[in-house]
């Protein structure tokens, strides 16, 4: 597998940076090399933020920013109106939006595949709170095939070691989203 | 030894912890904060047996580090940017008193205008103050270099403080794979600190009293000889480390990439070298004979090693993440001086100030500039 680049759009406080990090840890458990970093902005709660993850079979040397991601994930559907989420996305790439709408409703200027999945709804059902940043990785795994569900679970076990209950609920949500995305 | 995905800041804290410093004096500043926060955690939860001095400023943090080092214990601190600038007054005092210790610098731009992002203007501005300065490209290199530099710094033929420089945000806030050595392995590699002289009420001495014009120059000559003499010691310690832990960074002072038949190359420090490898690979695939030189040790400067690596080059483009206002990039000045009379065309580029991205494209432009005898420029 060549180097794959992922950009995650979220709002400050929503956990996009954690999302990028857990994605990197998951890739590591899959035996891959990884790099996760925030957009280095001055973060404020509620403001649009970005985080990035690189995944590769080989050690990752490049340290420039991500300009042409292979995958983009949008954690908050309200960002669609304020951020050009498809910017630079490779034409054979995939855009995953947390939304209850259909992809064509967004009228995006991109040749990339667009997928929508209602992560918030599933998170509210399972966790009871709109925690989407970790669970979305279940959908990412099913849609892209870049990471495995087993490694997501391992990454959650490690990162939520002190919050096992939330960790377990995140695992359940991720699995549900994985199956939904696989079936879609 | 455990391999994990770890933020470079956390890795530096883990690296420092493995060296068992007895005093950690610090003042937090973005983007260094994560490093000292983690160390504060380690001290409060008992993982590290050290005294944490949360000073009221970086000036005091460095003063406390000097005082602690003078009592004969291993010391650590970290800073960057304006905090580094505030420490500046004390940097030559630590070096002039020949006190060992290690400081991590999460390199960040200097104000004004206020900018929290990466360049090398903080540490490079202090290159003349007698501290060893090593710049790291990756999380792994940052951990390994921290452990190596305690050994170099405390060597009785050196006895000088050392900085481990990592690019703020561009490395400090990156999570990636790294191997964290076991405590036992580090203990074998890095013996307990044996001070050369200590402040002890039972055996009173003065450290750093006045030196008149008839002695001051001799002190400075000894200090200069000591840091120049650190060149082979940095190399030796690096080689020992490589043998024990299986990881090497060139010869410890300088690293080369695809330089064997290279006609043109770039030279730089820190994370830009990772991106530089990609820039080189892409141009090589198009038939260009290009390479890269990564400078680890800015001070002491490895003149002979650079001459040896560069000797077959036609052109060398220097990437400075800092500008000496009123002249050029300081690394460019050093490289030109080291290669004086070699006939190699040396071209200086200013790049990456205040967090401006250093991209593959920008580095390729610099790499090829000597082919058409283009002037160096600011890579805006």
């Amino acid at each position: 597998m060549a180097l794959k680049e992922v950009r995650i759009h979220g709002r400050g406080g929503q956990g996009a940076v954690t999302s990028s990090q857990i994605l990197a840890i998951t890739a590591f458990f899959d035996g891959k090399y990884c790099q996760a970093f925030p957009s280095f902005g001055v973060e404020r709660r509620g403001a649009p933020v970005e985080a990035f993850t690189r995944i590769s079979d080989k050690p990752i040397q490049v340290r420039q920013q991500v300009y042409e991601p292979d995958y983009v994930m949008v954690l908050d559907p309200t960002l669609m109106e304020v951020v050009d989420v498809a910017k630079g996305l490779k034409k054979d790439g995939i855009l995953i939006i947390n939304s209850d709408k259909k992809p064509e409703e967004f009228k995006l200027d991109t040749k990339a595949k667009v997928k929508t999945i209602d992560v918030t709804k599933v998170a509210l059902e399972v966790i009871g709170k709109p925690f989407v940043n970790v669970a979305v990785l279940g959908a990412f795994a099913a849609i892209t095939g870049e990471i495995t569900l087993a490694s997501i679970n391992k990454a959650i076990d490690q990162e939520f070691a002190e919050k096992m209950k939330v960790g377990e609920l995140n695992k359940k949500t991720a699995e549900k989203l994985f199956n939904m995305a696989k079936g879609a | 030894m455990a391999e994990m995905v770890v933020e470079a800041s956390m890795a530096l804290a883990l690296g420092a912890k493995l060296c068992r410093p007895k005093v950690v004096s610090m003042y937090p500043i973005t983007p260094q904060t994560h490093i000292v926060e983690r160390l504060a955690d380690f001290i409060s939860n008992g993982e590290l047996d050290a005294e944490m001095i949360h000073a009221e400023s970086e000036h005091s943090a460095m003063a406390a580090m000097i005082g602690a080092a003078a009592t004969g214990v291993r010391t650590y601190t970290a800073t960057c940017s304006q905090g580094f600038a505030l420490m500046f007054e004390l940097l030559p005092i630590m070096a002039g008193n020949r006190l060992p210790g290690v400081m991590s610098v999460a390199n960040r731009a200097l104000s004004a205008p206020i900018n929290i992002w990466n360049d090398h203007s903080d540490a490079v501005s202090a290159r003349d103050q007698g501290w060893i300065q090593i710049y790291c490209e990756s999380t792994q290199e940052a951990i390994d270099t921290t452990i190596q530099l305690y050994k170099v710094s405390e060597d009785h033929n050196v006895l000088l403080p050392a900085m481990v420089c990592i690019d703020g945000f561009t490395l400090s806030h990156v999570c990636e794979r790294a191997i964290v050595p076991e405590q036992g392995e580090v203990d074998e590699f890095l013996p307990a600190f044996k001070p050369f002289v200590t402040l002890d009420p039972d055996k009173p001495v003065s450290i750093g009293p006045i030196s008149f014009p008839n002695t001051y120059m001799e002190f400075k000559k000894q200090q200069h000889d000591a840091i120049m003499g650190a060149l082979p010691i940095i190399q030796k310690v690096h080689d020992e480390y490589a043998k024990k832990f299986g990881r090497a960074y060139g010869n410890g002072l300088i690293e080369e990439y695809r330089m064997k038949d290279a006609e043109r190359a770039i030279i730089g420090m820190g994370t830009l070298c990772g991106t530089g490898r990609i820039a080189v690979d892409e141009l090589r695939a198009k038939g260009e004979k290009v390479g890269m030189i990564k400078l680890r040790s800015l001070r002491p400067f490895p003149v002979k090693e650079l001459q040896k690596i560069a000797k077959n080059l036609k052109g060398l483009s220097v990437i400075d993440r800092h500008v000496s206002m009123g002249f050029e990039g300081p690394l460019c000045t050093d490289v030109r001086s080291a290669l004086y009379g070699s006939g190699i065309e040396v071209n200086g580029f200013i790049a990456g100030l205040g967090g401006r991205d250093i991209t593959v494209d920008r580095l390729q432009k610099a790499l090829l500039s000597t082919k058409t005898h283009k002037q160096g420029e600011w890579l805006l």
Side-chain angles (χ1 to χ4, degrees):
Chain A
M1 180 190 80
L3 177 72
K4 293 288 161 83
E5 297 183 315
V6 186
R7 185 174 69 217
I8 303 167
H9 293 272
R11 287 192 180 271
Q14 207 177 9
V17 175
T18 305
S19 194
S20 71
Q21 290 171 355
I22 294 186
L23 175 54
I25 294 164
T26 302
F28 167 63
F29 285 135
D30 281 332
K32 291 174 182 174
Y33 288 87
C34 56
Q35 208 185 59
F37 52 97
S39 59
F40 307 149
V42 180
E43 280 109 33
R44 289 148 297 150
R45 187 162 284 269
V49 297
E50 291 170 19
F52 307 90
T53 306
R54 289 191 169 104
I55 304 172
S56 177
D57 286 335
K58 287 187 224 138
I60 300 168
Q61 311 281 1
V62 68
R63 302 271 176 191
Q64 69 174 21
Q65 302 288 303
V66 170
Y67 295 97
E68 293 176 352
D70 297 272
Y71 307 109
V72 171
M73 280 190 271
V74 183
L75 302 185
D76 187 323
T78 65
L79 287 168
M80 299 302 292
E81 295 151 31
V82 284
V83 180
D84 179 7
V85 297
K87 191 178 176 188
L89 176 60
K90 288 203 181 91
K91 55 179 189 291
D92 57 349
I94 306 175
L95 173 61
I96 302 168
I97 309 165
N98 167 23
S99 170
D100 57 359
K101 291 185 181 157
K102 290 201 171 70
E104 49 275 21
E105 289 180 63
F106 288 106
K107 298 191 174 53
L108 284 154
D109 181 23
T110 178
K111 290 196 169 70
K113 227 184 270 173
V114 181
K115 301 261 186 190
T116 55
I117 185 157
D118 199 344
V119 182
T120 307
K121 190 180 164 200
V122 178
L124 285 171
E125 278 167 18
V126 180
I127 311 173
K129 292 201 169 104
F131 294 164
V132 297
N133 62 329
V134 180
V136 74
L137 298 176
F140 180 85
I143 293 166
T144 68
E146 299 290 353
I147 52 169
T148 63
L149 188 61
S151 293
I152 295 176
N153 289 338
K154 252 174 109 174
I156 293 174
D157 283 341
Q158 179 184 297
E159 293 305 293
F160 286 79
E162 286 161 20
K163 293 177 278 183
M164 282 303 285
K165 210 176 145 201
V166 187
E168 288 303 322
L169 291 171
N170 265 306
K171 276 157 74 173
K172 232 173 126 184
T173 318
E175 190 178 350
K176 200 161 175 192
L177 287 160
F178 180 88
N179 291 331
M180 269 169 71
K182 267 277 179 246
Chain B
M1 114 192 144
E3 184 164 21
M4 56 178 86
V5 175
V6 61
E7 189 190 50
S9 294
M10 173 67 162
L12 271 176
L14 285 167
K17 185 183 89 163
L18 286 168
C19 297
R20 302 183 187 274
K22 283 287 169 203
V23 171
V24 175
S25 63
M26 60 83 178
Y27 190 86
I29 178 171
T30 300
Q32 156 266 32
T33 314
H34 291 184
I35 306 171
V36 292
E37 275 177 354
R38 296 293 93 78
L39 278 162
D41 287 343
F42 294 147
I43 293 170
S44 87
N45 69 18
E47 282 181 69
L48 174 61
D49 178 21
E51 179 138 0
M52 166 67 83
I53 302 174
H54 189 168
E56 72 274 24
S57 75
E58 286 86 354
H59 190 275
S60 302
M62 182 48 60
M65 182 169 177
I66 293 170
T71 68
V73 297
R74 190 170 282 161
T75 56
Y76 176 84
T77 192
T79 193
C80 64
S81 186
Q82 303 309 115
F84 187 99
L86 192 52
M87 275 183 182
F88 198 105
E89 193 217 1
L90 292 142
L91 296 179
I93 297 178
M94 182 133 183
N97 281 335
R98 306 292 301 277
L99 295 170
V102 170
M103 168 158 77
S104 305
V105 184
N107 297 106
R108 165 185 152 183
L110 289 168
S111 301
I114 291 176
N115 178 293
I116 60 169
W117 295 276
N118 168 247
D119 67 32
H120 292 162
S121 56
D122 47 10
V124 174
S125 294
R127 71 188 187 280
D128 304 336
Q129 303 314 321
W131 285 61
I132 292 164
Q133 287 193 3
I134 306 261
Y135 290 76
C136 300
E137 175 188 340
S138 67
T139 301
Q140 187 69 62
E141 189 176 1
I143 304 174
D144 295 339
T145 303
T146 301
I147 298 164
Q148 290 168 20
L149 280 189
Y150 270 107
K151 194 158 187 173
V152 171
S153 170
E154 292 168 4
D155 187 304
H156 280 202
N157 291 308
V158 178
L159 291 171
L160 288 168
M163 291 177 202
V164 179
C165 298
I166 64 163
D167 290 337
F169 287 113
T170 317
L171 185 57
S172 69
H173 283 50
V174 171
C175 292
E176 60 185 353
R177 273 168 76 158
I179 294 166
V180 179
E182 295 293 338
Q183 185 67 62
E185 297 174 302
V186 176
D187 290 344
E188 284 164 18
F189 177 78
L190 178 68
F193 174 38
K194 284 197 195 74
F196 181 76
V197 62
T198 56
L199 285 180
D200 178 351
D202 295 331
K203 285 182 242 159
V205 290
S206 284
I207 297 180
I210 193 162
S211 164
F212 288 94
N214 61 345
T215 53
Y216 183 82
M217 271 188 84
E218 279 70 20
F219 279 115
K220 290 295 125 178
K221 175 74 167 53
Q222 281 183 6
Q223 202 185 322
H224 181 67
D225 290 346
I227 193 165
M228 293 304 284
L231 280 166
I233 296 169
I234 294 168
Q235 228 175 311
K236 189 187 85 185
V237 169
H238 165 271
D239 292 351
E240 256 174 61
Y241 190 93
K243 206 170 158 201
K244 184 164 180 63
F245 295 92
R247 290 183 295 279
Y249 306 95
N251 68 0
L253 300 163
I254 196 165
E255 197 177 333
E256 54 184 296
Y257 184 67
R258 301 188 82 166
M259 286 295 291
K260 215 172 170 188
D261 61 342
E263 292 176 355
R264 297 168 207 291
I266 44 169
I267 180 167
M269 306 190 294
T271 53
L272 75 86
C273 298
T275 309
R277 290 171 210 272
I278 309 296
V280 166
D281 288 349
E282 285 184 10
L283 288 180
R284 282 266 175 187
K286 291 178 189 161
E288 299 285 351
K289 287 186 173 169
V290 294
M292 186 194 65
I293 303 170
K294 169 175 134 187
L295 184 69
R296 261 171 53 88
S297 181
L298 178 66
R299 287 295 180 272
F301 193 92
V303 174
K304 286 206 174 71
E305 290 76 7
L306 174 61
Q307 288 170 341
K308 203 173 139 200
I309 292 172
K311 72 174 190 298
N312 295 323
L313 286 176
K314 288 180 180 159
L316 180 58
S317 301
V318 186
I319 315 294
D320 263 284
R321 250 183 156 137
H322 172 47
V323 59
S324 175
M325 295 278 174
F327 190 26
E328 61 182 357
L331 180 57
C332 183
T333 306
D334 288 354
V335 169
R336 274 191 215 284
S337 170
L339 299 181
Y340 182 75
S342 67
I344 300 167
E345 189 177 332
V346 177
N347 223 354
F349 290 83
I350 306 298
L353 300 191
R356 180 67 53 91
D357 202 11
I358 297 185
T359 60
V360 170
D361 290 354
R362 288 185 173 126
L363 292 178
Q364 288 178 343
K365 187 179 177 186
L367 261 170
L368 295 176
S369 66
T370 55
K371 209 173 170 182
T372 48
H373 309 291
K374 279 203 183 111
Q375 289 286 304
E377 58 180 298
W378 284 53
L379 296 170
L380 295 168

